[in-house]
Amino acid sequence: MIYSSFAYRDWVEIPYQAINIMFLAAMCFVYFAKAFQGSYMKSSITQIERRFDIPSSLIGLIDGSFEVGNLLVIAFVSYFGAKLHRPRLIGAGCLIMAMGSFITAAPHFFQGLYKYETTVSHFSASNGTESILPCLTNGSLAQDEIPTVEIQLFICGAFVFVECEKAASSSLWLYVFLGNMLRGVGETPVMPLGLSYLDDFSREENTALYMALIQTVGIMGPMFGFMLGSFCAKLYVDIGAVDLDTISINHKDSRWVGAWWLGFLLTGGVMLLAGIPFWFLPKSLPKQGETESEKKFNEGEQDCFIPDNNKHSNAPDKPAPVTMAALAKDFLPSLKKLFSNQIYLLLVCTAFVQVNGFIGMITFKPKFMEQIYGQSASKAIFFIGIMNLPAVALGIVTGGFIMKKFKLNVLGATKICIGTSLLAFFTMLIQYFLQCDNTQVPGLTLVPQVSYQQNTLISPCNMGCSCSLKHWDPICASNGLTYASPCLAGCQSSTGDGKNMVFHNCTCVGDSPFPYANMSAVLGQCPRKSDCDYMFKVYMAVTVIGAFLSACGATPGYIILLRSINPELKSLALGIYTLIVRTLGGIPPPVYFGAFIDRTCLKWGTKQCGGRGACRIYDSGAFRLVNLHWHLHIFNIFIHTFPK
């Protein structure tokens, strides 16, 4: 009989071990899928901003809608979800996230073709090879009165109104807002319910390693997400619907919009697949082989960090039937116990400060690299994917390995978190001094000081032309300067068509501080100086080191959080932690960081029916200063919060 009982226990242990492995694999995949989805959204921020012609502050609000979705349901999902079927709730969340991605992509199919602003198309001939006249005479119609091609061609009648109404469909960004918010709602159960489920049914010594494995596989998601974003950013938004030979801009132009919608369809499909395994997992599992002595030791260490009023529970030995009324009645007392834990409150405050700085930075990092170092949006996204994110993955693994190798307790994990956070901050501080000069644009940056006024674009060499001050249609002149438009360069004629168009007899080129005999120009901005490429390489090296150091504290941070709270409050604690950090650290930063960035804009684009569009060029010095002030502010909050 004794033999039979042991044999039966071993026989039962096998399928539970298989289910444990299945759950671990499913968690790895869903962490990959949600990170893949979320990072693609981050990588598409610039493309969405340009497609809907909206400022950075509004795109920050759209980005923060993900956290709004979390805010709506996370407290209830974390608390009530812990009493219900956790794996199936995660599966339902995956379905909602997939729907969110599909809704985000929907506006592309409702909008018309993308029409970028240009001054050349207003006057080009039908065959595209005849000479055009960028510089008009004073008696000609000013280009400020011709906001779009359609308005010039159909200047009379109601058709103009219809075209403008169609162009005004940029309000479809509300679909992107809604889809991103749905992703936030769906993502809610994954972290608090998934990690608590894993911690409940795995050995204490394996928890840190399992979490490190999940986060490491998860960090592969952003790598693929940013690489997908880089690929889609090179594809024209209306690929397959227009003749690309007629497009006069390339992916390096600030007016270019990539196929942002394509990636959301793909990430939504991956998320659907990720949710399937959770529908077939059991509600609970037995604790992965733990002896009584190990259980008492682990409970003893955890008791050191749990306040006395949180240690004891009145829960019966046998689970009572779960009713919604009983759960609701116990919610507020459980919340009170949780917030009486000072260590937990400290962890929430420090995480809020760190996430505040991280979210504000990562949301606009591709734009920062594009404006400061002259990189294209696709190249900036690609570098983030293949350099920064592998460093983060390595840092997470390193943190988990150190915890397991040296068997560090909570105090040891705390020392790792503090040290890595301080070192990571100093690497961010160094980045401010790795600078490149502004793009040289006469009337904007090539004046005694940087000008935010549009009238400085007018000079004696183009005063005889009726030039638009609203449009941004840059050309690179033979003297190495970028002019805001062919007209503002005083160009008298052109040859060629599309991307191969060349402008001749540009009077402002001859009158510039850097005169050149050949007064011609080509479409697009001029490349930055060679030393800027070197500075960009140094910048990337510093950001990789900073990403590694910051990630080293991720796994120890989770261990501190899990060991400082009562086991029965674990899911609620993780949910409230995520709620506060994402609400205060995730929603406001993209909005007001974007508003600060908007204040550094030198030249705004023009919408199809008039009005201010997306920013085309920024003051790089002011942009860097905003970044520096942001991190100094975060560090100041950190050092005043932590000692408490």
Side-chain angles (χ1 to χ4, degrees), residues 15-185:
Y16 278 126
Q17 289 177 355
I19 293 173
N20 253 320
I21 294 172
M22 179 182 175
F23 180 78
L24 180 62
M27 279 297 294
C28 288
F29 188 25
V30 78
Y31 258 67
F32 168 86
K34 77 183 186 70
F36 181 48
Q37 196 179 55
S39 60
Y40 181 76
M41 177 66 191
K42 291 288 185 186
S43 69
S44 301
I45 286 293
T46 302
Q47 310 302 320
I48 295 172
E49 177 182 348
R50 294 172 181 172
R51 182 63 181 97
F52 296 100
D53 265 327
I54 52 180
S56 296
S57 54
L58 184 53
I59 199 66
L61 179 64
I62 293 174
D63 184 64
S65 63
F66 179 87
E67 316 301 341
V68 173
N70 264 266
L71 170 64
L72 294 176
V73 297
I74 193 168
F76 298 100
V77 168
S78 301
Y79 180 72
F80 296 115
K83 316 291 183 180
L84 303 174
H85 200 301
R86 286 180 282 184
R88 288 183 183 174
L89 285 176
I90 296 173
C94 292
L95 180 61
I96 295 173
M97 282 192 281
M99 290 175 56
S101 276
F102 297 143
I103 291 174
T104 301
H108 170 75
F109 302 98
F110 301 147
Q111 286 181 302
L113 298 178
Y114 172 60
K115 293 180 174 60
Y116 52 90
E117 60 172 317
T118 176
T119 58
V120 173
S121 62
H122 300 316
F123 311 100
S124 59
S126 58
N127 59 13
T129 58
E130 297 180 8
S131 177
I132 65 172
L133 304 174
C135 181
L136 301 174
T137 62
N138 286 330
S140 302
L141 183 65
Q143 293 184 42
D144 283 342
E145 301 175 20
I146 311 171
T148 63
V149 178
E150 286 76 17
I151 293 176
Q152 183 194 13
L153 295 177
F154 306 100
I155 198 69
C156 300
F159 192 64
V160 174
F161 177 78
V162 173
E163 288 295 321
C164 272
E165 285 298 311
K166 187 176 181 181
S169 65
S170 58
S171 59
L172 288 173
W173 62 263
L174 289 170
Y175 280 87
V176 182
F177 181 93
L178 177 62
N180 203 36
M181 187 168 66
L182 275 180
R183 286 200 314 107
V185 172

Side-chain angles (χ1 to χ4, degrees), residues 207-208 211 403 408 410 413 554-564:
T207 301
M211 288 185 179
M403 288 290 297
L408 298 178
V410 176
T555 302
Y558 274 120
I559 295 300
I560 298 170
L561 182 64
L562 291 171
R563 297 293 175 263
S564 61

Side-chain angles (χ1 to χ4, degrees), residues 431-474:
Q431 295 173 24
Y432 172 75
F433 302 98
L434 304 174
Q435 59 180 314
C436 288
D437 294 332
N438 274 313
T439 301
Q440 294 183 314
V441 182
L444 292 179
T445 60
L446 269 185
V447 286
Q449 60 182 6
V450 175
S451 174
Y452 289 81
Q453 303 299 321
Q454 301 303 304
N455 56 10
T456 56
L457 291 168
I458 298 296
S459 61
C461 63
N462 58 32
M463 195 171 292
C465 305
S466 300
C467 297
S468 168
L469 301 182
K470 295 180 179 179
H471 291 84
W472 175 254
D473 192 11

Side-chain angles (χ1 to χ4, degrees), residues 205-218:
E205 65 208 41
N206 291 334
T207 301
L209 186 62
Y210 287 165
M211 288 185 179
L213 179 62
I214 290 173
Q215 293 184 60
T216 302
V217 174

